[in-house]
Amino acid sequence: MAGEIQPVRGINDVLPAEIGAWQHLETVTRELLASYGYEEIRVPLLERTELFKRAIGEHTDVVGKEMYTFTDRGGDSLTLRPEATAGIVRALISNGMLRGQRHKLWCLGPMFRHEAPQAGRYRQFWQVDVEAVGCPGPDVDAELIALSARLWQRLKLSGLTLEINSLGTPESRREYRARLVEYFGKHESQLDDDSRRRLGGNPLRILDSKNPAMQELLSGAPLLSEYLDDESREHFAALRRMLDGVGIAYQVNPRLVRGLDYYNRTVFEWITAAAAAQNAVCSGGRYDGLIAQLGGEATPAVGFAMGVERLVALLAAAGSVPLPLPPDVYVVVNGVRANAAALTLVERLRSERPRLRLELNLGGGNFKAQFRRADKSGARLALIIGDDELARGVLAMKPLREESGQSECPVESLAAGLDAALAGLRSG
Ligand code: ATP
Ligand code: MG
């Protein structure tokens, strides 16, 4: 026997037992985004490596050590997208969609990062990505946050808290960055390996370290808020006033920085208390410089991405996933003539009643075995196609969830007969 082929580590199947939560999340999200005027966009899984290097930044973890990059047969360096924003911006530019126009877009799909797989952290993971292009904010920043808060409410997810911060402008950040490098440089012996590596390329990201041994050092570090330019300060104050006005609770976390270089001003993150480690379920921010940086005309923009696996885990734990619907009718087939006629009859019925959930017994089996399957299916009614009945031009029906006898209806009026039988049952 040939050996079994192993799945790729950190790349998961979504099985039928889990799909209910995924579909529920997708349906609720789709409806909500449409009601706010967001349109779906589907961008490629593969892009030129250069796109991510330029958008996300060479010194980020994502570009530095997490990308799935390969050379294709034509010699081009391509990368499986580690996030969606860069691809969406590229699509807006490639399709000539900027030109002073505004776009409210969303995208759902898998992302790829070569990280250490663990609960809530995978190498292929799904994101819902939401982007508002063309508005400088802060009204659109506030509305995006309100949209995400409403999504948690519709999904019946509680216990999510919001952290916000302002990263200012690249100019104000440059000055802060210099102060930070100075501070960490003075305390270099207290830095862990990761942080020492970040000191040269991405010192802000050191603030993000979860290492307990580093927390004291971090709490003494200078704060970005002290270096904010006036306009960013006012932008952030206005955002806070809007969130207060709409009644969304938040915490200002002056150490909230994001792992991607393109952010400026508003950044935010929704955190769950349910997981100690992978606790960020939705993260985003403003990226006013990115579009110009990728060769488009300068256009302000803001967006966020939520991690579908992490949200699905919360949904499942909260038990707020609707159960799959069982069939309405299970079709039991008995006899040679009945077997020959069953598919035609059931297909006709599907044409006449497109919404009816019908499960036809396949692969034979005696009467008793078929009724066992019918019971197990959860159907409310069994439709019996039998030789004896067919000889008399009728079909039989038997309720499966309540004690009542068998009835019959003429083959010609099968659809109407089923309607009546189903309407007569308790749980309709
Ligand atoms: P983290 O701090 O958990 O690494 P991140 O800052 O890298 O997250 P983003 O790049 O902003 O995350 O992605 C947005 C969201 O996507 C995160 O909030 C998280 O819910 C989810 N996410 C990110 N990386 C992974 C992963 N490897 N596996 C599963 N979900 C992920
Ligand atoms: Mg990460």
Side-chain angles (χ1 to χ4, degrees):
M1 208 177 87
E4 192 183 317
I5 293 173
Q6 298 300 311
V8 182
R9 223 161 79 81
I11 300 194
N12 303 313
D13 305 302
V14 181
L15 301 176
E18 304 152 338
I19 205 74
W22 285 69
Q23 290 176 341
H24 179 58
L25 176 72
E26 287 175 28
T27 306
V28 174
T29 305
R30 238 172 237 283
E31 277 177 20
L32 183 74
L33 285 163
S35 78
Y36 276 78
Y38 281 78
E39 299 175 297
E40 184 175 1
I41 181 169
R42 300 187 184 182
V43 292
L45 268 61
L46 273 181
E47 296 274 3
R48 294 182 184 283
T49 303
E50 187 58 23
L51 172 68
F52 301 115
K53 285 195 176 165
R54 244 159 83 186
I56 301 170
E58 299 264 8
H59 294 291
T60 58
D61 284 353
V62 172
V63 171
K65 48 182 197 182
E66 295 173 358
M67 293 207 301
Y68 281 91
T69 297
F70 65 97
T71 307
D72 80 355
R73 289 168 195 275
D76 290 325
S77 177
L78 302 182
T79 293
L80 279 169
R81 64 181 185 194
E83 56 102 62
T85 306
I88 291 174
V89 168
R90 200 267 314 130
L92 289 173
I93 298 171
S94 317
N95 294 286
M97 290 168 74
L98 289 168
R99 310 210 169 94
Q101 291 181 64
R102 296 170 170 190
H103 296 281
K104 297 201 284 185
L105 302 168
W106 70 275
C107 174
L108 163 73
M111 308 297 153
F112 303 85
R113 297 184 195 175
H114 195 273
E115 303 197 67
Q118 53 198 288
R121 191 172 294 287
Y122 310 105
R123 289 180 172 174
Q124 174 181 299
F125 61 98
W126 288 62
Q127 285 184 340
V128 173
D129 197 71
V130 183
E131 312 286 356
V133 175
C135 293
D139 51 353
V140 61
D141 310 17
E143 195 196 57
L144 268 180
I145 292 176
L147 181 161
S148 55
R150 189 173 298 282
L151 181 61
W152 317 143
Q153 201 184 1
R154 295 230 174 137
L155 290 170
K156 301 192 175 64
L157 290 178
S158 52
L160 294 181
T161 56
L162 173 65
E163 295 190 350
I164 62 173
N165 192 22
S166 176
L167 298 182
T169 59
E171 296 74 47
S172 64
R173 208 154 62 237
R174 234 184 319 273
E175 192 189 334
Y176 171 63
R177 196 189 134 114
R179 289 291 97 71
L180 206 57
V181 171
E182 204 174 283
Y183 172 81
F184 285 130
K186 263 195 290 201
H187 301 88
E188 203 170 337
S189 59
Q190 288 165 260
L191 293 177
D192 59 17
D193 290 346
D194 251 358
S195 302
R196 206 164 295 136
R197 195 170 40 77
R198 283 169 172 158
L199 190 57
N202 198 356
L204 262 71
R205 193 64 169 155
I206 298 178
L207 298 173
D208 216 21
S209 166
K210 307 282 186 306
N211 183 351
M214 296 249 315
Q215 296 310 308
E216 205 186 308
L217 181 66
L218 295 185
S219 65
L223 291 178
L224 178 52
S225 50
E226 292 156 20
Y227 295 84
L228 282 192
D229 56 290
D230 288 344
E231 256 185 81
S232 295
R233 205 183 292 278
E234 178 45 40
H235 187 111
F236 194 47
L239 169 67
R240 291 200 312 263
R241 282 195 299 275
M242 288 176 199
L243 293 179
D244 292 338
V246 76
I248 294 174
Y250 57 85
Q251 256 199 316
V252 175
N253 174 0
R255 290 195 180 74
L256 178 64
V257 293
R258 305 297 335 287
L260 317 174
D261 276 358
Y262 52 60
Y263 289 109
N264 68 298
R265 295 210 167 127
T266 309
V267 289
F268 65 94
E269 201 152 81
W270 286 95
I271 312 275
T272 169
Q278 276 49 260
N279 61 354
V281 295
C282 172
S283 334
R286 180 158 279 288
Y287 52 93
D288 295 331
L290 179 63
I291 297 177
Q293 194 181 311
L294 292 178
E297 65 189 78
T299 310
V302 57
F304 67 75
M306 42 198 211
V308 175
E309 283 85 353
R310 293 183 193 179
L311 285 166
V312 161
L314 292 181
L315 277 176
S320 41
V321 181
L323 293 171
L325 290 172
D328 297 308
V329 178
Y330 191 97
V331 184
V332 168
V333 189
N334 192 25
V336 177
R337 227 188 111 200
N339 254 310
L343 183 67
T344 309
L345 281 172
V346 171
E347 285 299 314
R348 199 176 78 202
L349 195 51
R350 289 189 203 276
S351 301
E352 289 171 359
R353 294 290 183 273
R355 301 182 67 84
L356 201 61
R357 291 186 305 277
L358 281 166
E359 188 158 339
L360 171 60
N361 185 81
L362 298 172
N366 63 34
F367 216 47
K368 214 169 136 201
Q370 290 193 45
F371 263 96
R372 255 201 315 274
R373 286 183 209 141
D375 269 329
K376 210 175 146 211
S377 78
R380 290 181 290 147
L381 192 72
L383 172 68
I384 304 153
I385 306 180
D387 279 1
D388 294 350
E389 287 86 356
L390 281 182
R392 289 188 285 118
V394 298
L395 297 170
M397 296 174 293
K398 184 167 174 20
L400 291 166
R401 308 263 154 252
E402 52 194 75
E403 290 302 322
S404 58
Q406 205 162 300
S407 60
E408 291 185 347
C409 80
V411 174
E412 297 82 70
S413 55
L414 173 58
L418 274 181
D419 290 345
L422 286 167
L425 296 178
R426 252 181 282 128
S427 54

